[in-house]
Amino acid sequence: MFYYVEYLRAGRAMRVVAIILGVLAACAIGLRIYLIGSHSPEDVARALEQSPSAHVTRSTLADGTAESQVDDPQRGVRAVIDRRNGRMLMTISEPR
């Protein structure tokens, strides 16, 4: 029982460190959610289609689906974007 005061100090220090790490983790999670929410699929599709080095081919399929094929050889990205009735299906192939 000679080291009782040191145990109390260590416990208090561990609590302070845990609180600081908890606050940092909560901030990181909140920032991550905020940044992910700002990129909608339509924003991603628009960025792919408006890239200066991209070649975009647009066509309308037999069922009325508007299809855009994006080929960007400089960035190594190939995407097929299908839009129909307010829904969008996007298939992207890119390098790791």
Side-chain angles (χ1 to χ4, degrees), residues 5 15 21 24 30 35 39 49 56 65 69 84 87:
V5 174
R15 262 186 272 154
L21 289 177
L24 288 175
L35 291 177
H39 299 291
E49 291 175 344
V56 181
T65 302
Q69 294 182 0
R84 181 175 185 207
R87 294 186 179 202

Side-chain angles (χ1 to χ4, degrees), residues 76-87:
V77 175
R78 174 151 170 74
V80 177
I81 305 165
D82 295 329
R83 293 180 178 97
R84 181 175 185 207
N85 296 334
R87 294 186 179 202

Side-chain angles (χ1 to χ4, degrees), residues 1-95:
M1 294 307 254
F2 295 108
Y3 300 108
Y4 181 69
V5 174
E6 285 79 8
Y7 284 128
L8 290 177
R9 282 187 192 144
R12 191 171 41 228
M14 294 299 283
R15 262 186 272 154
V16 169
V17 168
I19 290 170
I20 291 171
L21 289 177
V23 168
L24 288 175
C27 289
I29 291 170
L31 187 64
R32 176 85 184 224
I33 290 172
Y34 174 74
L35 291 177
I36 287 176
S38 66
H39 299 291
S40 70
E42 194 62 43
D43 292 340
V44 174
R46 191 176 307 113
L48 285 171
E49 291 175 344
Q50 293 178 353
S51 174
S53 60
H55 175 70
V56 181
T57 305
R58 291 183 173 85
S59 62
T60 303
L61 302 179
D63 62 351
T65 302
E67 181 180 78
S68 300
Q69 294 182 0
V70 181
D71 187 22
D72 194 347
Q74 186 177 12
R75 291 179 20 195
V77 175
R78 174 151 170 74
V80 177
I81 305 165
D82 295 329
R83 293 180 178 97
R84 181 175 185 207
N85 296 334
R87 294 186 179 202
M88 182 171 61
L89 173 67
M90 186 169 21
T91 307
I92 302 175
S93 301
E94 58 185 353

